[in-house]
Amino acid sequence: MRRLFLPPVALWLALLVAAPLLLLLALALSWQSEGLPPFDPPWNGQGINTDNFALILGDPYYRAAFWQSLELAAVTATFCLLVALPMALAIARARRSRLLLGLVLLPLWTGFLLRVGAWIGLLRDEGWINGLLRGLGLIEQPLALLYTPLALYLGMVHAYLPFAVLPLYAAFARLDPSLEEAAADLGAGPTRAFLTVTLPLVLPGALAAFLLVFIPAAGEYVVPELLGPPGALPLGRALFTEFFQNRDWPVAAALACALLALLLLPILLFQRLGRGE
């Protein structure tokens, strides 16, 4: 039976995974031109162009974009993990866990831009937060909340939090309650039982939650563009600039390939965790 499914799966992977990656690599090794499309592929006679990779590795502008993307992804994944850990534990132990889990996933059923737009409405100078603070007499002038690092991380954590809750919830739901009961019988309090028994057992799920947020957050463009400070330059912004404004498709493709190479290790680690290795 498995042999019947192998050919269509292999074809699907070849068409939707391998072929786009090969095309992206070919574009990264192409030459910029003034034509349409604005590049000359290596097989047009000019040969392979490795200057695009040399440029993004040697230019401080692109190195800063890489570091900002990795920092943004790491901070977002850390905060998502800290928020998702107690949420997943409470949901797993609640009577109506399926209902609570559905509420966590509910934002994913709405448009991504709508959720980001809601944060703009909350954080702008005439928004709800400043209006509430002024109504309570806590401030006289509106606080500069929008287009700040605070707004950026609020939007990122809100966007990716469900992806951290899911693996943690699955890890907590698989736990045997008798283990904590045995720890309590041996004199361990709730906090000590959680730290010494529960937490070590859910560490693989916590690492999976971290990676599940870190990997897509490293290439995020929409949230930094709509909520982040103007000076922030994550890789998503650099890609957009090179592709749409500078029309330098080979450099944009080289940036995408370099980001994929950086994320290859966490992607492989996440796959190993998914197989339970």
Side-chain angles (χ1 to χ4, degrees):
M1 180 63 71
R2 293 180 60 183
R3 294 180 179 179
L4 295 177
F5 290 99
L6 286 178
V9 170
L11 180 63
W12 183 87
L13 290 175
L15 292 178
L16 300 182
V17 179
L21 289 178
L22 291 176
L23 289 175
L24 185 66
L25 180 60
L27 180 57
L29 298 174
S30 300
W31 302 81
Q32 186 184 17
S33 71
E34 300 298 329
L36 189 67
F39 68 92
D40 286 326
W43 52 83
N44 271 9
Q46 298 190 59
I48 293 176
N49 180 20
T50 60
D51 293 342
N52 299 318
F53 287 102
L55 175 64
I56 64 173
L57 293 177
D59 195 321
Y61 172 84
Y62 298 111
R63 291 204 302 267
F66 277 107
W67 282 115
Q68 286 191 34
S69 295
L70 295 178
E71 179 185 4
L72 176 63
V75 174
T76 300
T78 300
F79 276 105
C80 283
L81 190 61
L82 293 175
V83 176
L85 192 63
M87 285 181 60
L89 177 61
I91 292 173
R93 296 183 176 179
R95 292 183 178 180
R96 298 183 177 180
S97 59
R98 293 183 179 179
L99 174 61
L100 295 176
L101 189 63
L103 293 177
V104 171
L105 298 177
L106 187 61
L108 298 179
W109 302 345
T110 61
F112 187 75
L113 288 177
L114 291 177
R115 285 181 279 151
V116 178
W119 278 110
I120 295 176
L122 288 171
L123 298 172
R124 62 193 181 97
D125 292 348
E126 298 80 16
W128 290 9
I129 295 179
N130 277 310
L132 177 61
L133 293 176
R134 282 200 300 264
L136 295 175
L138 299 177
I139 60 172
E140 295 183 358
Q141 299 296 326
L143 299 176
L145 300 176
L146 191 59
Y147 309 125
T148 63
L150 174 63
L152 172 60
Y153 285 114
L154 283 175
M156 291 291 292
V157 171
H158 177 254
Y160 288 99
L161 182 60
F163 299 102
V165 173
L166 285 175
L168 283 171
Y169 166 79
F172 281 119
R174 289 195 301 263
L175 289 181
D176 187 357
S178 63
L179 296 176
E180 289 190 359
E181 295 174 1
D185 292 339
L186 294 175
T191 302
R192 186 175 181 182
F194 176 80
L195 294 177
T196 58
V197 177
T198 305
L199 188 59
L201 293 175
V202 299
L203 278 181
L207 181 57
F210 183 91
L211 294 175
L212 195 59
V213 173
F214 180 88
I215 292 170
E220 178 61 42
Y221 166 75
V222 175
V223 177
E225 181 68 19
L226 297 181
L227 296 179
L233 184 69
L235 196 60
R237 274 185 170 181
L239 273 168
F240 182 90
T241 300
E242 294 296 341
F243 194 88
F244 291 101
Q245 297 181 7
N246 298 340
R247 288 177 51 82
D248 196 339
W249 291 14
V251 169
L255 287 171
C257 290
L259 178 62
L260 180 60
L262 283 176
L263 296 178
L264 188 60
L265 180 59
I267 289 173
L268 294 176
L269 181 58
F270 179 74
Q271 290 179 340
R272 289 176 63 89
L273 290 173
R275 294 196 299 264
E277 298 181 6

